[in-house]
Amino acid sequence: MSEIEELSQFLTLETRLDVKALALQQTLGLTGTADGRQMLINTSCVVKNLCKLLNDFQKSVAKDASLALINLTADEDLTSTLVAEGTEIIENMLNIITNPEHELADPACMVLSNLSRTKLGSERLFQSMGEKLEKYIDIFCQEKYNKKGARLHYLAAVFSNLSQIPAVRSYILDPSRTCLQRLVSFTDYKDSTTRRGGILGLIKNCCFETDHHDFLLSDAVDLLPKLLLPLAGPEEFDEEDNDKLPIDLQYLGEDKTREQDPDIRKMLLEALTQLCATKYGREYLRSKNTYVILRELHKWEKNDNVLAVLEHLVNIVIRFEHEIGYDNLKKEVEVPEDVTEKFNALEPAL
């Protein structure tokens, strides 16, 4: 019997507390190195035992088990082994998240966020969720769903990762469901960068579905003001400019602040840029006076990476359609190499 197999024997609910705690500390130490993680993964019962310990009556034991699982799943080289048939790690995490009385729902969300970063992990997770994805969206939208104080912000990162899969985007964009309508309300959520960023990652990926631009910009979803509001500041516009803006962006007041995270500002602009891939999207953005929001943002923005995306977007918005000459920039035109690279850089990440 190997040392790891011997160690795993003590990672059980029935083991005496002091022995179990010591075994967990050793396991946690091993998760800190690539070699240690590989050894743990190669011992089949370790992950199953750690999952069971998430329900240990001793809170410190359950917490250490969750930390070990977070560390293991953070290693993308191990994802294929972790999500293989029979490990049940995904099913265990989903059960914890849906239990409103479980204290480790947040770590469970982090584990799934780690596992779903790869395409394989996302596909395996979506397979486990089945048609119940909307149930998890419902849980996510109930900020006090968990009675033990878990906020479930990392579910947003899970949804963002899942949206790299075409089938998930189709599910989210199905007009017969209200998934997207509920999620877009978190683009300006003040209490969590993780929640805002995750939902914006999902929205950006959905914007690549050019056949759905009409739906995304319709009154049903009303996406444009949700993307522009975090980019808007306290600047005052004359009455003519104000009247052309979406109602949510009119007369914002001197206390209005912009999104502080540059990565999120960049994602907002990338989503807007992708909406400009279709003639309908470009004309809609122009009709809603998007340019004045972008103009004032350009005066304020200091981050070079954000400025690069912003200037590319402005260049599209200010051009006349006869200069562009095509409906769908992604499907119908041989665009210059530099422009192709900019669009490709925005593609849903796998």
Side-chain angles (χ1 to χ4, degrees):
M1 182 183 293
S2 71
E3 290 183 18
I4 304 298
E5 287 173 325
E6 189 175 346
L7 180 66
S8 69
Q9 290 184 321
F10 302 115
L11 299 175
T12 66
L13 293 170
E14 298 76 25
T15 302
R16 204 176 71 207
L17 179 58
D18 58 336
V19 176
K20 180 166 42 183
L22 182 60
L24 259 177
Q25 285 302 310
Q26 289 182 283
T27 303
L28 257 179
L30 287 168
T31 65
T33 67
D35 288 343
R37 292 190 293 270
Q38 191 65 59
M39 285 193 292
L40 290 170
I41 288 297
N42 288 342
T43 306
S44 59
C45 60
V46 168
V47 172
K48 283 186 178 181
N49 288 356
L50 287 172
C51 287
K52 290 175 182 176
L53 288 180
L54 295 176
N55 297 307
D56 198 279
F57 73 93
Q58 185 68 32
K59 290 182 180 180
S60 60
V61 168
K63 184 177 180 182
D64 282 350
S66 73
L67 291 174
L69 286 169
I70 289 170
N71 289 349
L72 282 171
T73 55
D75 190 336
E76 289 187 23
D77 291 336
L78 305 179
T79 300
S80 59
T81 305
L82 285 166
V83 301
E85 202 89 23
T87 61
E88 297 178 2
I89 184 170
I90 289 176
E91 290 74 12
N92 276 289
M93 298 308 114
L94 290 175
N95 288 336
I96 288 172
I97 291 166
T98 54
N99 180 356
E101 300 293 333
H102 209 295
E103 295 184 355
L104 294 174
D106 278 337
C109 291
M110 293 178 193
V111 168
L112 291 185
S113 173
N114 285 342
L115 288 175
S116 58
R117 284 185 300 182
T118 67
K119 185 180 180 184
L120 174 64
S122 283
E123 289 172 342
R124 178 71 181 83
L125 175 55
F126 186 48
Q127 181 185 347
S128 295
M129 286 180 164
E131 285 297 306
K132 294 181 179 178
L133 176 56
E134 196 162 9
K135 170 186 174 182
Y136 296 98
I137 291 173
D138 184 53
I139 289 171
F140 174 78
C141 291
Q142 298 177 55
E143 291 189 63
K144 294 185 179 177
Y145 174 84
N146 186 280
K147 310 306 180 193
K148 301 296 183 179
R151 303 298 302 279
L152 308 181
H153 294 321
Y154 273 87
L155 264 184
V158 173
F159 297 150
S160 178
N161 292 340
L162 285 173
S163 68
Q164 67 185 287
I165 305 171
V168 173
R169 297 198 295 275
S170 295
Y171 186 105
I172 296 288
L173 288 164
D174 185 345
S176 69
R177 298 187 174 97
T178 59
C179 300
L180 196 58
Q181 292 90 317
R182 302 178 70 191
L183 293 173
V184 295
S185 64
F186 293 103
T187 58
D188 205 28
Y189 185 82
K190 301 299 183 188
D191 293 344
S192 170
T193 303
T194 300
R195 185 173 281 243
R196 288 200 311 280
I199 294 307
L200 277 164
L202 175 144
I203 290 170
K204 187 182 90 167
N205 285 346
C206 286
C207 287
F208 283 91
E209 300 295 331
T210 53
D211 291 342
H212 289 83
H213 280 188
D214 292 23
F215 174 60
L216 289 168
L217 295 170
S218 69
D219 290 341
V221 180
D222 202 24
L223 181 58
L224 183 60
K226 306 296 193 305
L227 297 177
L228 288 179
L229 191 61
L231 299 173
E235 295 83 11
E236 294 182 9
F237 302 111
D238 61 34
E239 191 170 339
E240 182 181 355
D241 273 337
N242 256 315
D243 288 346
K244 292 178 184 175
L245 286 166
I247 191 72
D248 291 349
L249 280 96
Q250 295 179 13
Y251 306 103
L252 291 177
E254 59 185 23
D255 59 343
K256 175 65 174 72
T257 58
R258 289 184 171 88
E259 169 60 56
Q260 292 299 301
D261 189 296
D263 290 331
I264 292 181
R265 293 198 302 277
K266 184 169 176 279
M267 274 196 288
L268 288 159
L269 292 166
E270 287 171 342
L272 289 165
T273 300
Q274 191 52 37
L275 288 172
C276 287
T278 57
K279 181 179 179 181
Y280 178 84
R282 296 189 296 274
E283 291 185 335
Y284 188 85
L285 264 65
R286 293 184 191 115
S287 73
K288 295 299 181 180
N289 213 13
T290 298
Y291 171 70
V292 298
I293 301 296
L294 302 179
R295 180 190 67 202
E296 297 306 314
L297 174 63
H298 191 270
K299 295 175 184 176
W300 175 89
E301 185 60 63
K302 299 293 187 292
N303 184 284
D304 288 341
N305 292 328
V306 179
L307 277 170
V309 180
L310 174 56
E311 288 168 2
H312 175 53
L313 173 58
V314 169
N315 184 48
I316 296 172
V317 171
I318 64 174
R319 291 169 70 189
F320 294 108
E321 278 306 308
H322 72 265
E323 295 178 293
I324 296 173
Y326 292 87
D327 183 357
N328 191 325
L329 292 178
K330 289 285 285 179
K331 292 183 179 177
E332 297 181 10
V333 60
E334 288 293 325
V335 293
E337 186 176 344
D338 62 323
V339 177
T340 302
E341 288 173 359
K342 288 176 181 176
F343 270 116
N344 289 342
L346 302 178
E347 292 285 5
L350 296 181

